[in-house]
């Protein structure tokens, strides 16, 4: 590969510290090179932005595959499994392989022709920048009101470069759709954006005892023997793509699958030194239809009633949804008849050494967004070691978990329906002669408050139910009744009609005759 002259301003994503990590109670910041050199001493990433952490894990897993040779498409599945076990047994990444990789590829953030994960052509193809406030999640952009931030259109505080890199990852993986900065290519101008490949999703990453174990356990299912095309990550290409309007490169394993599906083009504008970013270009990188791909860390829901092209959807992130409610798809083995499919990365965990497998936890990273531009909340969670609960190892426990998760969701639907009906009966006496469509109650404040109280109570019941044979629906119905009584306590004390309506609702909750309602699970 020809050498590229070093620019005056330089910030290496490989060698400058920008990645927060944790070892025990000690926190540190490192670059990508040292992240791999010391991965066996690091407990976990400590990046404060879960979507950036989820994106970085995908990038780091792709690099780990390169360093260990686990990206070789000529391996058989058996050879690949053996090679991964040998890499785990060594306990650390080979320093020579780490240095060779990072010395070979482009990681300079401000390089004039090959900036890391950026497109250097944007200044000549875009008439304006996005503005540092619009680039930064949480800041008001343009003329929007600054409700919870000191930043505004006339106050655009530069970002530390390390922080800007983490936001860069968020734009590539979780970026918005809609209208963005216009970009002119081959005489055609467009400002239409399509959403990032992970937008509004929740990811489930196997978490080992060290970052070294985490990256090797997180390798996506071996697909090398099924592809013939060369696989590269964006920073491994010799040059930027010649034509952004051309068809995107195929989704090959593992590099393009994990790092090469961005729909956005970004270019950071540095300050007077390498320490800050003062502005950014953000526009489209492709307007071609997105290629079909199975992200190995997402739960997929399959609805056979929908058209083929919309039959499979990724589980949506929901900041109000506790992690234990996701256990059903995580512990059940793949089955073509099930409506949910666990992350594909879980399919290879049985091949890991037992000491690694039995200690694996799951790191949950979610970004609650709408499909276009609204960012609600990001969140993270950590499960206990749960691989011993999976269907492959303990089918009875896995089935019990699935039964309890399903019962909890069903009772939640019952609770919402019963609370809405109780509210309607309290505020407007029921007219049994009215058509059924008119009798349908509207969404009520009681239902929202009862649901918020129900789920913490349901979690307590869930863990108790795993160790006994109490009917799950009965236990969750008790918690739902408790939640409804508590949120209506004042109303029942003051209004006899409310007391009667809630009593009827509680009776309905415990009945098995409630008309079924479609599940609200996304």
């Amino acid at each position: 590969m020809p050498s590229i002259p070093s620019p005056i301003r330089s910030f290496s994503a490989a060698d400058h510290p920008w990645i927060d990590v944790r070892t025990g109670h000690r926190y540190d910041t490192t670059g990508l090179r040292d992240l791999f050199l010391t991965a066996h001493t690091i407990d976990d990433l400590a990046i404060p932005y879960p979507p950036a952490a989820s994106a970085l894990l995908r990038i780091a897993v792709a690099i780990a595959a390169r360093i260990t040779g686990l990206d070789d498409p000529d391996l058989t599945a058996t050879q690949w499994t053996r090679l991964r076990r040998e890499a785990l047994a060594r306990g650390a990444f080979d320093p020579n392989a780490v240095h060779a990789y990072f010395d070979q590829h482009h990681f300079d953030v401000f390089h004039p022709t090959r900036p890391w994960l950026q497109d250097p052509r944007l200044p000549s193809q875009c008439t304006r920048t996005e503005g540092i406030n619009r680039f930064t999640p949480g800041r008001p952009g343009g003329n929007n009101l600054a409700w919870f931030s000191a930043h505004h259109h006339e106050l655009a505080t530069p970002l530390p470069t390390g922080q800007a890199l983490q936001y860069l990852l968020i734009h590539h993986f979780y970026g918005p759709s809609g209208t963005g900065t216009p970009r002119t290519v081959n005489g055609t101008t467009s400002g239409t954006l399509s959403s990032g490949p992970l937008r509004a999703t929740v990811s489930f990453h196997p978490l080992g005892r060290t970052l070294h174990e985490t990256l090797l356990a997180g390798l996506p299912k071996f697909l090398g023997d099924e592809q013939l095309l060369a696989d590269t990550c964006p920073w491994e290409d010799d040059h930027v793509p010649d034509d952004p309007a051309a068809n995107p490169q195929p989704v090959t394993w593992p590099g393009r699958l994990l790092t090469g599906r961005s729909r956005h083009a970004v270019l950071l504008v540095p300050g007077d030194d390498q320490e800050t970013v003062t502005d950014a270009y953000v526009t489209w990188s492709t307007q071609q239809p997105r290629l079909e791909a199975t992200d190995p860390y997402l739960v997929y829901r399959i609805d056979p009633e929908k058209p083929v092209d919309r039959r499979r959807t990724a589980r949506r992130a929901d900041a109000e949804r506790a992690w234990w409610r996701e256990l059903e798809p995580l512990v059940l083995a793949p089955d073509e008849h099930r409506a949910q499919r666990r992350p594909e990365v879980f399919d290879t965990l049985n091949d890991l050494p037992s000491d690694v497998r039995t200690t694996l936890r799951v790191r949950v990273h979610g970004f609650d967004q709408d499909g276009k531009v609204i960012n609600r909340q990001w969140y993270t969670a950590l499960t206990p070691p749960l691989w011993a609960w999976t269907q492959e190892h303990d089918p009875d426990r896995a089935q019990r978990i699935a039964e309890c998760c399903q019962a909890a969701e069903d009772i939640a639907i019952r609770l919402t329906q019963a609370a809405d009906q109780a509210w309607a009966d309290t505020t407007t006496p029921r007219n049994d002669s009215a058509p059924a469509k008119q009798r349908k109650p509207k969404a009520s404040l009681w239902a929202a408050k009862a649901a918020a109280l129900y789920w913490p109570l349901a979690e307590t019941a869930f863990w108790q139910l795993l160790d006994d044979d109490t009917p799950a629906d009965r236990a969750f119905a008790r918690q739902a009744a408790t939640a409804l009584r508590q949120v209506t306590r004042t109303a029942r004390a003051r209004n006899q009609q409310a007391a009667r309506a809630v009593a009827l609702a509680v009776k309905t909750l415990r009945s098995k005759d409630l008309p079924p309602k479609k599940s609200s699970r996304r």
Side-chain angles (χ1 to χ4, degrees), residues 48-55 58 170 174 198-205 297-298 315-321 323 326 363-369 376-382:
Y49 315 113
S54 183
R58 287 169 167 83
I170 294 175
Y174 297 86
L198 300 181
R199 185 166 184 85
T201 63
V202 53
S203 298
F204 301 89
H205 300 268
Y297 310 106
L298 302 185
R315 168 66 60 83
R316 297 288 297 271
D318 184 347
E320 298 180 356
R321 187 179 179 87
W323 71 265
E326 312 290 356
R363 172 66 72 183
V364 183
H365 287 311
F367 197 177
D368 192 338
Q369 306 168 287
R376 300 187 184 95
Q377 184 177 340
W378 51 51
Y379 60 94
T380 189
L382 180 62

Side-chain angles (χ1 to χ4, degrees), residues 72-83 222 224-225:
D72 185 353
D74 294 329
L75 294 172
T76 66
T78 301
Q79 291 171 331
W80 186 85
T81 298
R82 184 173 64 251
L83 183 59
F222 178 72
D225 57 352

Side-chain angles (χ1 to χ4, degrees), residues 401-417:
I401 288 173
E403 174 190 334
C404 291
C405 287
Q406 184 63 57
E409 300 289 342
D410 291 344
I411 294 299
I413 296 171
R414 283 173 167 250
L415 174 59
T416 297
Q417 187 173 1

Side-chain angles (χ1 to χ4, degrees), residues 23-39:
T23 301
H25 297 291
R26 182 171 60 85
Y27 291 82
D28 201 359
T29 307
T30 185
L32 279 169
R33 188 192 302 263
D34 281 342
L35 187 77
F36 282 88
L37 291 174
T38 61

